[in-house]
Amino acid sequence: MRYFLFLIIFFSVNSYAKGIYQSNADFLNEVFNNDIPKTQMLWILDDVKKGATKILGEKPAQLRVRYWKNNQQTAWILEEVGKEKLITVGLLIENNQLHQIKVLAFRESRGWEVKESFFLEQFSQAQLTSKLQLDRSIDGISGATLSVRALKKLARLALFYHTQVIAKDKV
Amino acid sequence: MLKRKDNKIQRNKGRLLPFIKFHRWAGLSSFLLLLLVSITGIMLNHTEELSLDEHYISTHWLQTWYGIKMPEQQNYLNFKNDSFAQVGKQLYFNRSRLPDEESPLLGGYQMDHYIVIGLRNALYLLTPEGELIEKLNADKNLPVPVTRIGLSNIEAASGQLIIEVDNKYYTSRDEFLTWVEVQRKEFYPFLLDTPNAANKAFYRDIYLGNELTLERVVLDLHSGRLLGSLGIYLMDMAAVILIMLGLSGIWVWSRRFRKIH
């Protein structure tokens, strides 16, 4: 009986862990209070490409990224491979600080703990240093090393893209 | 007295002999398996450092052993100097692999400044060199499922890209950020190309070479699964032998130890 209960709990936790937690539209509605700004595009070329390559450790997968901008706020929906599959993350940046980070979809079979608030809270108000690193260390989760690494990369990438967008708009 | 003691030793030796023989032969026969398990175990402990999941096996007999074969879904497009293929859910522009997409390929076209590839649930925009500009899908406002994709005019320069969804026609006027419904006047759908033998062989080699990772082979060697259920039982047997080896070794050693002291 105890063994049976353990199996039920094990499989229900696993099935709950993997999946789509929030749609892209719902995330944008949430961060912009149901008033989503116009979709804009950032082209990943020249210096932007160089910076993104430095952060990701390889060439970015796409040459353009969509974003939504409202004054000093920008929202990004970015994807990065954990071990084999893409993790979709929504990020809100304001005044060069990370205001919100949320795992929107997790497709890997392991490492789903990165969606939990105890982990994501570490990113609150994080900024990017001149070396394109986060200004703080993020504690890992055992068994979720690759997912943690993917989220750290996406946080750095969104902060970097934000600075590029703000700089571009100033010109 | 001395003779009786010699007899006792001989008798004991005779009784121990089968165990000593078993110990020796079991040890030798399971050593190779132990070596295999140890080496593969060390490799698996360092999967990331050794990039086992990034190395692919292209040995033909091993691919056949694993039952890896070309999937049924194979669609091809030929451009002026390039080709595009969908093999299973894998997509290739020449040799470059693009993000996977399971829905079937509908067609593609080389526009003036980019290449557009249409699938049932996604649209790929590529540079003329094949670099991915963006993959569009329902999350990025693409109306789906697309039934056909084509141009409003046979001349690409003046033609507008049109997609057909549920007998309605859509086009984008803001670089594919949003789509608007349009009334169809003319519609020239893109079609798939019939592959030639060289094309098929080219993508066959690429696809098969991208299926079997070194990590999977090492993992299966470690567990014995490489030989199917027989391999698992073989590894089980080796483990049982090793346990017996340890126990019989202790037993033989304790008998000798008691005799000496």
Side-chain angles (χ1 to χ4, degrees), chain B residues 26-84:
Chain B
L28 279 173
S29 56
S30 57
F31 173 72
L32 280 177
L33 288 174
L34 182 67
L35 197 68
L36 184 74
V37 171
S38 308
I39 292 172
T40 50
I42 292 169
M43 287 174 83
L44 289 171
N45 267 345
H46 300 277
T47 302
E48 271 181 55
E49 292 94 321
L50 296 171
S51 308
L52 294 183
D53 54 346
E54 288 166 24
H55 285 93
Y56 291 90
I57 307 283
S58 51
T59 315
H60 183 64
W61 69 265
L62 211 50
Q63 290 171 343
T64 312
W65 181 257
Y66 270 89
I68 294 170
K69 53 184 181 185
M70 289 293 275
E72 271 181 32
Q73 177 162 268
Q74 290 176 49
N75 298 309
Y76 300 88
L77 294 172
N78 287 320
F79 300 113
K80 210 182 287 172
N81 300 313
D82 308 291
S83 64
F84 183 90

Side-chain angles (χ1 to χ4, degrees), chain A residues 21-41:
Chain A
Y21 312 126
Q22 191 175 29
S23 71
N24 296 1
D26 286 349
F27 171 75
L28 294 171
N29 272 320
E30 184 188 313
V31 297
F32 290 116
N33 293 321
N34 296 317
D35 187 15
I36 305 173
K38 190 174 73 132
T39 309
Q40 296 186 59
M41 273 184 316

Side-chain angles (χ1 to χ4, degrees), chain B:
Chain B
M1 180 72 183
L2 205 66
K3 203 176 173 184
R4 205 184 297 160
K5 202 176 176 183
D6 277 353
N7 282 345
K8 202 179 168 187
I9 290 170
Q10 283 303 319
R11 248 197 338 268
N12 279 343
K13 216 175 180 179
R15 244 187 287 162
L16 274 178
L17 207 60
F19 288 103
I20 294 170
K21 272 189 179 170
F22 164 77
H23 196 77
R24 190 180 299 148
W25 285 108
L28 279 173
S29 56
S30 57
F31 173 72
L32 280 177
L33 288 174
L34 182 67
L35 197 68
L36 184 74
V37 171
S38 308
I39 292 172
T40 50
I42 292 169
M43 287 174 83
L44 289 171
N45 267 345
H46 300 277
T47 302
E48 271 181 55
E49 292 94 321
L50 296 171
S51 308
L52 294 183
D53 54 346
E54 288 166 24
H55 285 93
Y56 291 90
I57 307 283
S58 51
T59 315
H60 183 64
W61 69 265
L62 211 50
Q63 290 171 343
T64 312
W65 181 257
Y66 270 89
I68 294 170
K69 53 184 181 185
M70 289 293 275
E72 271 181 32
Q73 177 162 268
Q74 290 176 49
N75 298 309
Y76 300 88
L77 294 172
N78 287 320
F79 300 113
K80 210 182 287 172
N81 300 313
D82 308 291
S83 64
F84 183 90
Q86 179 183 38
V87 187
K89 60 178 183 177
Q90 295 185 11
L91 303 180
Y92 297 94
F93 182 83
N94 296 333
R95 261 183 192 282
S96 312
R97 186 162 169 190
L98 298 166
D100 291 351
E101 174 57 41
E102 269 177 83
S103 65
L105 179 67
L106 301 172
Y109 198 80
Q110 187 147 13
M111 311 288 273
D112 287 346
H113 303 293
Y114 60 90
I115 294 170
V116 60
I117 307 284
L119 294 98
R120 177 79 39 96
N121 293 325
L123 208 68
Y124 285 66
L125 303 175
L126 311 176
T127 64
E129 293 76 35
E131 208 169 348
L132 181 65
I133 297 171
E134 195 176 12
K135 176 187 174 180
L136 312 176
N137 52 23
D139 279 341
K140 292 181 178 170
N141 307 324
L142 178 76
V144 290
V146 180
T147 41
R148 289 191 298 173
I149 175 169
L151 293 173
S152 63
N153 191 303
I154 197 75
E155 298 296 327
S158 55
Q160 213 173 24
L161 189 85
I162 290 183
I163 57 170
E164 182 191 64
V165 182
D166 292 334
N167 295 318
K168 289 177 183 166
Y169 297 87
Y170 298 86
T171 193
S172 177
R173 295 182 182 123
D174 55 1
E175 296 185 78
F176 305 102
L177 287 178
T178 56
W179 294 82
V180 287
E181 195 180 334
V182 288
Q183 292 305 311
R184 190 183 83 159
K185 286 177 191 155
E186 283 181 286
F187 183 54
Y188 299 92
F190 305 148
L191 300 171
L192 296 173
D193 291 313
T194 316
N196 54 39
N199 244 357
K200 269 190 156 179
F202 177 72
Y203 285 110
R204 183 184 181 281
D205 286 349
I206 294 177
Y207 175 83
L208 294 178
N210 267 328
E211 273 295 284
L212 184 60
T213 63
L214 184 56
E215 185 184 21
R216 187 171 163 196
V217 175
V218 173
L219 199 64
D220 289 346
L221 266 174
H222 189 72
S223 65
R225 281 192 173 81
L226 192 70
L227 299 177
S229 51
L230 178 78
I232 298 172
Y233 291 128
L234 197 71
M235 284 302 184
D236 286 349
M237 212 167 75
V240 171
I241 289 173
L242 281 169
I243 293 167
M244 287 167 73
L245 206 63
L247 294 175
S248 65
I250 293 168
W251 189 76
V252 170
W253 173 78
S254 68
R255 291 289 300 235
R256 282 187 179 162
F257 183 80
R258 254 186 282 154
K259 228 180 287 161
I260 294 165
H261 297 90

